Amino acid sequence: MSASAGRLVLGTAQLGMPYGVANRHGQPSAGEAAAILDRALLGGIRHLDTATDYGDAESLIGRYLRGREQNAGVTVVTKLRIEDGSGPAGVCVALAASQRRLGAAPGVALLHDASLLGHWEGPVGDTLRTCRAEGRVGAIGISVYTPEQFEIALELTDINVVQAPFSVLDRRLEQAGLLVRAQARGVRVMLRSVLLQGMLTLERADYPKWLKPIAAPLFLWHELCARHEVAPQIAALRFVIERTEPAMIVVGCESTGQIEELLEAANGPDLPADLVGELEALATSDTRLIDPTNWPL
């Protein structure tokens, strides 16, 4: 197992429901999902990222892990949906439901709603810390969407993990020095949206209509990958791997072929320095493009 493959986290949204702007095959069958998980673990991936909101992904993971003779060393990261106003009781209900579906206490539980940042220092955060102390979860944290939210998260009491977006087009965390600050504070970082839900791999003819007026950075992205003869999925993943150590990197897929490509990229050589230099110029702050929460449904 390469050090880079060990930093990958398999995202399971695609396994629990039809997910992603580039998804062309829908939700994999149970057998296909198991094959993807098999290949990921064989390739050295030891973290699975899921959520209450990812359809039946938690239940699928639970069945899969219970059916394996050797599942030690696999860490499940789940994101909890806490009902508005439910407070500590909502945390307990959500965590217990996830544990029931997974068949074991999750290794990491993250609040899925960044608006709960303001509740961390109150009863919601206290309840999560109590659950961690009692062994009902291994580590706790929150999933955020913006650099401003990330910065707030770094100041929270006893936070273990922050998950946030990062890609070749979205380098706001790096530019604000937040990845370095997180490492200095001992906060583990998980980076998602490194392929922008697969948008970075789409051919121009496959772009949705809403994207075309703001797609100039994507046109240049594909031109650079073609000129340097590097596949977009490899360039996108290698770019993030090479500049964000020791952050964990969440990658999703809907087929064994895709997980093979991602493992190949993780285990492959560094990108050419001249390509990296050109890719660095692609960073944009246009959240219409880099933030999937702003995309039309």
Side-chain angles (χ1 to χ4, degrees):
M1 178 182 74
S2 78
S4 294
R7 288 172 58 200
L8 295 187
V9 180
L10 180 65
T12 63
Q14 290 98 326
L15 305 188
M17 61 184 184
Y19 177 86
V21 69
N23 189 311
R24 293 293 177 267
H25 305 292
Q27 181 182 351
S29 68
E32 291 168 335
I36 291 169
L37 289 163
D38 282 341
R39 185 64 190 92
L41 298 186
L42 180 64
I45 293 175
R46 289 295 177 267
H47 288 73
L48 306 176
D49 177 78
T50 190
T52 305
D53 289 345
Y54 291 172
D56 62 356
E58 284 186 325
S59 297
L60 184 149
I61 290 170
R63 290 192 298 271
Y64 174 81
L65 292 179
R66 287 192 293 273
R68 294 181 78 243
E69 293 184 2
Q70 299 294 329
N71 58 21
V74 177
T75 297
V76 177
V77 181
T78 196
K79 296 183 283 294
L80 306 176
R81 176 64 60 189
I82 312 301
E83 296 300 326
D84 186 38
S86 62
V91 174
C92 293
V93 168
L95 186 57
S98 287
Q99 181 172 345
R100 184 174 62 253
R101 289 187 288 266
L102 293 170
V108 181
L110 307 178
L111 297 177
H112 207 169
D113 184 353
S115 70
L116 292 173
L117 280 166
H119 296 267
W120 187 272
E121 304 295 355
V124 168
D126 289 343
T127 302
L128 280 172
R129 287 186 282 275
T130 297
C131 291
R132 182 181 59 190
E134 294 175 349
R136 286 186 276 170
V137 63
I140 57 176
I142 194 163
S143 176
V144 302
Y145 295 88
T146 69
E148 293 77 16
Q149 292 169 347
F150 192 103
E151 187 167 20
I152 293 170
L154 291 185
E155 302 301 321
L156 299 178
T157 302
D158 291 332
I159 194 165
N160 302 131
V161 182
V162 180
Q163 188 177 118
F166 189 97
S167 70
V168 65
L169 298 186
D170 180 7
R171 290 170 42 221
R172 294 172 294 170
L173 297 180
E174 177 189 53
Q175 292 165 340
L178 292 170
L179 297 178
V180 174
R181 285 178 55 187
Q183 186 175 1
R185 291 184 63 88
V187 175
R188 284 183 283 163
V189 174
M190 297 178 63
L191 301 174
R192 66 174 185 274
S193 295
V194 297
L195 297 175
L196 283 178
Q197 292 190 11
M199 186 77 77
L200 290 173
T201 68
L202 284 180
E203 298 292 339
R204 184 180 301 195
D206 295 325
Y207 289 169
K209 290 182 180 180
W210 61 263
L211 176 65
K212 294 178 181 179
I214 56 173
L218 287 171
F219 297 157
L220 183 54
W221 156 253
H222 280 287
E223 188 276 323
L224 290 175
C225 290
R227 177 152 49 84
H228 288 269
E229 299 182 333
V230 179
Q233 63 270 29
I234 292 177
L237 184 54
R238 286 299 323 171
F239 184 87
V240 176
I241 285 174
E242 291 168 25
R243 65 194 308 116
T244 64
E245 191 174 5
M248 303 293 287
I249 300 166
V250 182
V251 293
C253 63
E254 59 197 65
S255 69
T256 53
Q258 289 179 357
I259 192 63
E260 290 278 4
E261 291 172 349
L262 293 167
L263 287 168
E264 176 187 353
N267 295 327
D270 288 351
L271 296 176
D274 53 344
L275 172 57
V276 171
E278 292 183 272
L279 292 178
E280 287 177 340
L282 293 182
T284 176
S285 59
D286 188 346
T287 56
R288 297 175 301 169
L289 176 60
I290 62 177
D291 185 349
T293 64
N294 291 324
W295 297 351
L297 296 177

